[in-house]
Amino acid sequence: MWDYTDKVKEHFLHPRNVGEMKDANAIGETGSLNCGDALKLYLKVNENERIIEASFMTFGCASAVASSSALTEIIKGMTLDEAAKLTNDDISDYLGGLPKAKMHCSVMGQSALKKAIANFRGVQILEKPGQIVCECFDVTDLEIIDAVRANGLETTDDVTDYLKAGGGCGQCLDRIEQVIASAKVKG
Amino acid sequence: MKIIYTDNNATTKTADEVIEEMMPYFGELYGNPSSMHTFGDRVGKKITQARKHVADLINADPEEIVFTSCGTESDNAAVHAAISAFPQKKHLITSTVEHPAIKNLFAHLAKEKGYKVTFVPVDRQGRLNTNVLYDSMSDDTALISLMWANNETGVIFPIEQVAKRANEQKILFHTDAVQATGKIEIDVKKTGVDMLSLSGHKIHAPKGIGVLYVKKGLKFSPLLIGGHQEGGRRGGTENTAFIIGLGKACQLAKENLGVMNTRVKELRDYLESQLLEKISGTSVNGELDNRLPNTLSIGFDAVEGESILLLLDRDGICASSGSACTSGSLDPSHVLMAMEVPFKSAHGTIRFSLSHYNTQDEMDAIVRNLVPTIEKLRAMSPFWKDGKMV
């Protein structure tokens, strides 16, 4: 059963700011149909770089919808600089917390926001090199290898502490172990 | 709120008749069936009767029935017996769509014990690729284990045909019939399977009781070594009340097999046709004319299963999704992945599994909920626009 807070349930059942925004001047998209969740974030930003409107379209589970809804509520009225500092924990906290296995839903919100800001400013966000190992926190194998080598990390717990990777659903822990081993061998 | 229970492949309501049958054996009739005294033997006689009811349901002989604690134990015991009987053989065959009780056990044997495992694929309709299966059979094969019917899609495997080939090549054949039992005819003599697992709580007995059928004359090493119970095939004092309950449940299942394949099937077909008619972008998973009569696996394009389940749950409707989303994984289930169901509908797949307790009104209530539920979720999906996928 779902270990959701009342606030998550409420935002899922009655999401705020749903729908396509025709006159948006910043759009951020993340996730895909194949991944199992996706978010398209629309912003209207004024001449002072303040977000005056935000809306979303989301495909995903209840916590993905709730995280999207929460995100749009949080950022309305913020300047882009303020919004850029938003973390996935802020989204999760706003909802009274998310189950560990669902933290990636808040990460998705943060990632769509980053992309929307970059879109407004005309900046290109380069795709991270390497392969995603931890879906929950969007961490690649190359990032893990770098962290292992730079900090002498030994265990999956070390990696989780440094990069959060593996700290969500835990599905990737075996894979992280393999990456740690490969980092040591080739290092 | 009234519960509309359409998740019978997950578990079933314990029948009132079953509970009634069990009650005395929690209280005044507490004797040990192995005891010499008449008091214990009263329970022993009742267990003999239960064993006969179980045997009757699958056309076995009573002495071929071994009571266990659950379907998973039955599967483990069967595999243990097979690999103990042929310690020199290091090859196992199963399918890509098995229940975790077999899937993970075989993966464990491959990883820890050096077994080579052939996972036979299925096609887009969930049908077993028997060519791959037959080609992989060899003198080194210790066991073939295949589910009789799939828990998610209800697709029925050609058990009789495969068992015949296995017998010809003297390879042991086990079937996990946990989902098939009580829904379609199971005849161990006609099919010639060596071992078969079934589970009580899928056929209106309580949780915590299972059966392993072991063909007469088969060399068998018990998983639980202990006393002489179950003919030395499973140590441990009998779970008397539950065995007696399962006996009753098997008797009822046999009586209800006709209803299952007429009235329950009609309800399933009605629900299916209503949903296909009233909701666009909807598709049914699995081979349509070769499914369990109670199971409907149906995918809704561009929406996600957990969200659907939560909105169904608001009206007390119990069903399952085709994803492992609740466990944190974002992938669709291994069954839908093995069938290569497109992602667009795999993520939005819901399984309804009916029983004879369901009614026409309940099917209508599900349709009344789902039409606006899917509409609401599609209205916020970035992959759905103007009535179709984008």
Side-chain angles (χ1 to χ4, degrees):
Chain A
M1 191 51 191
W2 307 277
D3 191 15
Y4 289 140
T5 63
D6 288 344
K7 197 138 188 214
V8 172
K9 287 183 203 162
E10 207 268 324
H11 271 265
F12 167 64
L13 294 174
H14 309 286
R16 324 310 194 243
N17 315 308
V18 176
E20 195 179 349
M21 194 192 294
K22 298 271 189 239
D23 54 349
N25 53 6
I27 293 176
E29 273 183 272
T30 188
S32 75
L33 190 61
N34 295 9
C35 296
D37 51 19
L39 161 61
K40 192 166 185 180
L41 179 69
Y42 302 87
L43 304 179
K44 199 186 285 175
V45 182
N46 72 7
E47 61 283 5
N48 302 321
E49 286 211 336
R50 195 170 287 279
I51 300 168
I52 52 172
E53 267 183 63
S55 75
F56 75 92
M57 300 283 274
T58 286
F59 160 79
C61 56
S63 52
V65 173
S67 294
S68 310
S69 168
L71 170 69
T72 54
E73 287 287 280
I74 296 169
I75 60 175
K76 258 195 283 180
M78 280 186 172
T79 64
L80 291 188
D81 285 342
E82 286 164 350
K85 290 185 196 128
L86 195 82
T87 69
N88 70 298
D89 288 331
D90 295 329
I91 298 171
S92 168
D93 290 348
Y94 181 88
L95 292 166
L98 284 171
K100 230 180 166 189
K102 299 287 188 178
M103 282 305 284
H104 62 87
C105 296
S106 60
V107 176
M108 189 167 77
Q110 183 195 9
S111 149
L113 176 60
K114 265 191 192 157
K115 288 181 180 172
I117 294 171
N119 173 247
F120 181 81
R121 291 177 167 163
V123 188
Q124 276 237 303
I125 297 185
L126 295 173
E127 285 294 320
K128 282 200 268 188
Q131 279 191 327
I132 298 286
V133 173
C134 172
E135 302 266 3
C136 296
F137 294 109
D138 193 29
V139 181
T140 66
D141 53 352
L142 294 181
E143 286 174 294
I144 295 171
I145 290 171
D146 284 349
V148 167
R149 289 183 184 162
N151 305 295
L153 308 184
E154 293 281 339
T155 65
T156 50
D157 280 350
D158 294 343
V159 170
T160 304
D161 289 344
Y162 259 84
L163 297 168
K164 285 193 179 180
C169 69
Q171 292 258 331
C172 63
L173 287 172
D174 282 351
R175 178 83 183 102
I176 292 178
E177 213 169 308
Q178 289 167 12
V179 175
I180 295 173
S182 76
K184 285 178 185 164
V185 172
K186 286 171 198 158
Chain B
M1 182 170 46
K2 194 178 156 280
I3 293 296
I4 296 178
Y5 192 79
T6 52
D7 201 10
N8 286 280
N9 288 9
T11 197
T12 59
K13 169 190 153 82
T14 306
D16 293 340
E17 300 93 318
V18 169
I19 295 172
E20 198 186 325
E21 193 85 356
M22 292 171 73
M23 286 315 281
Y25 300 89
F26 289 111
E28 68 265 34
L29 294 174
Y30 57 82
N32 188 323
S34 301
S35 296
M36 284 304 291
H37 41 71
T38 311
F39 179 64
D41 191 49
R42 272 184 77 182
V43 184
K45 287 215 161 63
K46 193 75 185 170
I47 285 187
T48 301
Q49 190 195 74
R51 200 181 298 280
K52 186 162 184 329
H53 286 317
V54 177
D56 280 350
L57 180 63
I58 60 172
N59 195 26
D61 293 336
E63 57 272 27
E64 294 175 314
I65 300 300
V66 178
F67 290 110
T68 66
S69 66
C70 59
T72 298
E73 186 194 324
S74 300
D75 286 347
N76 272 264
V79 174
H80 175 81
I83 62 180
S84 304
F86 299 105
Q88 74 286 3
K89 297 188 177 184
K90 292 293 179 195
H91 177 229
L92 304 168
I93 302 174
T94 188
S95 81
T96 52
V97 295
E98 297 295 309
H99 184 274
I102 287 292
K103 183 170 84 90
N104 292 348
L105 175 59
F106 276 33
H108 167 82
L109 289 170
K111 197 176 168 201
E112 305 293 334
K113 309 280 180 192
Y115 278 85
K116 186 171 161 281
V117 181
T118 302
F119 289 95
V120 179
V122 296
D123 68 9
R124 180 68 182 76
Q125 267 73 51
R127 290 175 298 208
L128 191 72
N129 187 328
T130 46
N131 291 334
V132 171
L133 172 62
Y134 297 150
D135 287 348
S136 69
M137 287 161 63
S138 79
D139 292 343
D140 195 40
T141 308
L143 176 70
I144 301 170
S145 178
L146 290 175
M147 62 197 338
W148 197 306
N150 189 270
N151 49 315
E152 287 190 35
T153 60
V155 171
I156 299 164
F157 276 169
I159 295 303
E160 188 172 350
Q161 190 189 326
V162 178
K164 190 163 176 277
R165 286 289 286 260
N167 288 339
E168 282 165 12
Q169 295 198 34
K170 299 196 167 37
I171 297 171
L172 281 182
F173 183 78
H174 164 256
T175 179
D176 179 338
V178 164
Q179 291 297 344
T181 311
K183 294 168 190 157
I184 54 173
E185 193 202 345
I186 301 285
D187 186 330
V188 291
K189 289 206 167 67
K190 192 171 138 210
T191 43
V193 300
D194 294 305
M195 291 181 280
L196 173 147
S197 304
L198 67 88
S199 170
H201 76 105
K202 310 286 193 194
I203 54 168
H204 305 286
K207 292 146 196 73
I209 184 75
V211 164
L212 180 64
Y213 156 83
V214 182
K215 194 199 265 176
K216 218 176 286 176
L218 194 88
K219 194 179 162 204
F220 191 83
S221 312
L223 188 60
L224 289 192
I225 297 171
H228 56 85
Q229 295 91 352
E230 301 302 304
R233 291 166 299 185
R234 203 261 190 188
T237 300
E238 294 86 345
N239 188 1
T240 54
F242 284 66
I243 290 172
I244 290 159
L246 177 60
K248 186 70 191 176
C250 285
Q251 192 188 3
L252 295 172
K254 195 170 179 185
E255 288 168 19
N256 282 327
L257 201 57
V259 172
M260 181 58 88
N261 286 280
T262 50
R263 195 176 64 79
V264 177
K265 182 175 183 294
E266 282 159 21
L267 287 179
R268 190 274 312 266
D269 291 345
Y270 173 76
L271 178 64
E272 178 177 304
S273 63
Q274 284 287 301
L275 294 176
L276 287 171
E277 183 193 314
K278 296 197 162 136
I279 304 173
S280 65
T282 300
S283 48
V284 178
N285 301 310
E287 190 184 4
L288 295 185
D289 52 5
N290 187 35
R291 282 178 298 164
L292 295 176
N294 78 320
T295 306
L296 170 61
S297 169
I298 188 162
F300 303 97
D301 289 353
V303 290
E304 199 277 331
E306 189 207 89
S307 292
I308 304 172
L309 287 184
L310 261 177
L311 294 172
L312 285 169
D313 190 60
R314 290 191 87 203
D315 286 340
I317 300 166
C318 309
S320 291
S321 76
S323 79
C325 187
T326 41
S327 70
S329 163
L330 291 169
D331 291 335
S333 76
H334 74 281
V335 176
L336 299 179
M337 298 271 269
M339 290 165 65
E340 295 181 354
V341 173
F343 282 112
K344 71 181 174 102
S345 65
H347 287 296
T349 287
I350 300 293
R351 179 192 69 189
F352 296 98
S353 47
L354 279 48
S355 80
H356 64 276
Y357 293 115
N358 290 119
T359 63
Q360 176 86 22
D361 283 350
E362 290 178 332
M363 300 304 109
D364 287 325
I366 294 171
V367 176
R368 272 199 307 277
N369 172 297
L370 265 180
V371 171
T373 286
I374 301 299
E375 200 173 316
K376 177 184 164 132
L377 293 173
R378 280 178 176 168
M380 64 173 113
S381 170
F383 304 120
W384 191 262
K385 203 176 173 183
D386 303 328
K388 55 179 194 287
M389 286 289 298
V390 288

